[in-house]
Amino acid sequence: MSLFTLPKRFFPATASISLLHQQHHLISGPRKTTERRRSSAIKMSAGTSSPSQSLSHSITLPSQPANPVPVVAAPGVSESAFRTAIDSSLFKQWLQNLQSETGILSNGDLMLKQVLVQGVDMFGQRVGFLKFKADILDKETGAMVPGIVFARGPAVAVLILLDSEGKTYAVLTEQVRVPTGKVVLELPAGMLDDDKGDFVGTAVREVEEETGIQLKLEDMVDLTAFLDPSTGHRVFPSPGGCDEEISMFLYRGSVDKEVITQLQGKETGLRDHGELIKVRVVPYETLWRVTADAKALMAIALYEMAKKHGLLPL
């Protein structure tokens, strides 16, 4: 592997960064998904079904032991997909969140009546995306709380700031994003690709895959770690419909202007996984105006407030 080392650093003091001349695949198989393992007192029992009946399952939650929750498959969901969905860490983590200290079932005002599994997307042997509808009852009014869920789990994003000749630049990626129908300018980011909850390791890998820049784990600053513990030290970009929670990291270093030039327009990404990515470098002072990426705008807010309150390492 041919590496281009960028020697000058001022933040963090031990920072080290290398620019890859050739893109390498660091992880095999479909990328950017994880399943987090959690211990659970939730009891599950399999239901029976005939060709004319829906697939079903029953869950007993500690928060409502007298009211078992039926979990059923929507038409078109196969038995294997259904079983995989209810056994996935995405689904189990959602059930845990419901009953956590800040969960919506914690005070007894709401009750989970039923879950309808509507779709499962597999990333290799793991559940990548899970869509389901949860019937949550408000006991006082008898009304149902909106409960359509797109579950995809935890992710990371990285704000890379490079100082060169008295100016600070942000490194972004330009990617084809089919859900928006547009090409989007955004921070390097991705879903966790293992079941160990390795947020910082995933952040480093995503940066290398999407920009060709190689960072060290110890040089990453977790911006979301500065949030109040009640937040779980994560940010939710779209909590009205998606469970995705993002850890935001910062890298800041000093480079020669030649590196900025080399990065601009560099084609990267895992092409065999359909990633069509170009690197874009923009002045940091204009970043907030040139991107509609929520991750970038959240990272700016976290970085500026952490800097204002003296929380960043010198």
Side-chain angles (χ1 to χ4, degrees):
M1 180 185 301
S2 177
L3 296 177
F4 183 80
T5 303
L6 310 179
K8 295 186 292 183
R9 288 293 161 279
F10 71 89
F11 174 69
T14 61
S16 176
I17 177 174
S18 298
L19 178 63
L20 295 179
H21 290 295
Q22 180 178 359
Q23 187 66 35
H24 288 265
H25 297 187
L26 299 184
I27 51 177
S28 60
R31 66 190 284 263
K32 300 182 178 175
T33 185
T34 190
E35 294 179 0
R36 290 175 295 172
R37 296 173 180 167
R38 295 288 189 273
S39 59
S40 173
I42 298 168
K43 296 181 180 179
M44 296 188 178
S45 60
T48 59
S49 63
S50 68
S52 61
Q53 295 176 321
S54 298
L55 295 165
S56 66
H57 205 75
S58 179
I59 297 175
T60 301
L61 302 178
S63 60
Q64 51 180 68
N67 297 280
V69 181
V71 183
V72 298
V77 176
S78 69
E79 181 174 1
S80 62
F82 178 64
R83 300 301 174 193
T84 300
I86 60 180
D87 287 337
S88 70
S89 289
L90 286 178
F91 187 61
K92 291 178 179 179
Q93 183 61 47
W94 177 75
L95 292 174
Q96 292 283 351
N97 290 345
L98 291 179
Q99 302 170 92
S100 66
E101 186 176 347
T102 57
I104 61 178
L105 301 184
S106 61
N107 61 10
D109 293 338
L110 302 176
M111 177 171 32
L112 178 60
K113 298 286 290 183
Q114 176 179 285
V115 177
L116 177 67
V117 177
Q118 298 172 312
V120 183
D121 288 307
M122 300 298 296
F123 287 5
Q125 299 299 312
R126 297 181 295 213
V127 176
F129 300 142
L130 177 62
K131 185 176 182 293
F132 57 91
K133 183 177 183 293
D135 292 337
I136 302 287
L137 175 69
D138 183 336
K139 294 179 181 179
E140 182 179 358
T141 65
M144 290 293 181
V145 179
I148 295 177
V149 181
F150 173 53
R152 56 178 292 165
V156 298
V158 185
L159 176 62
I160 303 174
L161 300 181
L162 301 179
D163 291 277
S164 181
E165 298 183 357
K167 199 168 187 177
T168 302
Y169 297 88
V171 179
L172 305 175
T173 62
E174 186 179 82
Q175 300 195 51
V176 173
R177 292 303 195 187
V178 175
T180 68
K182 300 178 180 180
V183 175
V184 180
L185 193 64
E186 58 189 283
L187 293 186
M191 298 165 62
L192 267 69
D193 47 46
D194 57 39
D195 60 0
K196 299 177 181 178
D198 183 12
F199 287 86
V200 65
T202 299
V204 168
R205 289 193 297 271
E206 292 301 332
V207 168
E208 183 170 4
E209 288 176 7
E210 296 192 353
T211 70
I213 296 174
Q214 194 174 62
L215 303 178
K216 291 183 178 180
L217 296 176
E218 60 268 24
D219 295 337
M220 307 294 282
V221 178
D222 186 352
L223 293 174
T224 39
F226 300 131
L227 294 174
D228 188 85
S230 64
T231 66
H233 302 293
R234 307 281 186 267
V235 291
F236 293 94
S238 186
C242 183
D243 73 331
E244 181 181 41
E245 53 181 10
I246 303 178
S247 293
M248 294 285 187
F249 290 92
L250 167 71
Y251 171 85
R252 188 164 185 179
S254 180
V255 300
D256 295 328
K257 190 61 179 287
E258 179 186 3
V259 173
I260 303 297
T261 302
Q262 290 179 358
L263 283 170
Q264 193 69 265
K266 180 181 177 67
E267 294 187 354
T268 62
L270 301 180
R271 296 282 165 158
D272 57 345
H273 292 164
E275 293 183 341
L276 306 175
I277 300 175
K278 287 186 177 180
V279 178
R280 299 298 182 194
V281 184
V282 302
Y284 174 68
E285 63 183 1
T286 65
L287 176 59
W288 69 279
R289 301 190 67 181
V290 300
T291 179
D293 177 35
K295 300 184 300 298
L297 299 175
M298 288 187 290
I300 292 171
L302 288 169
Y303 171 63
E304 291 296 334
M305 293 306 294
K307 185 169 62 172
K308 177 180 178 180
H309 290 277
L311 299 177
L312 297 174
L314 299 177

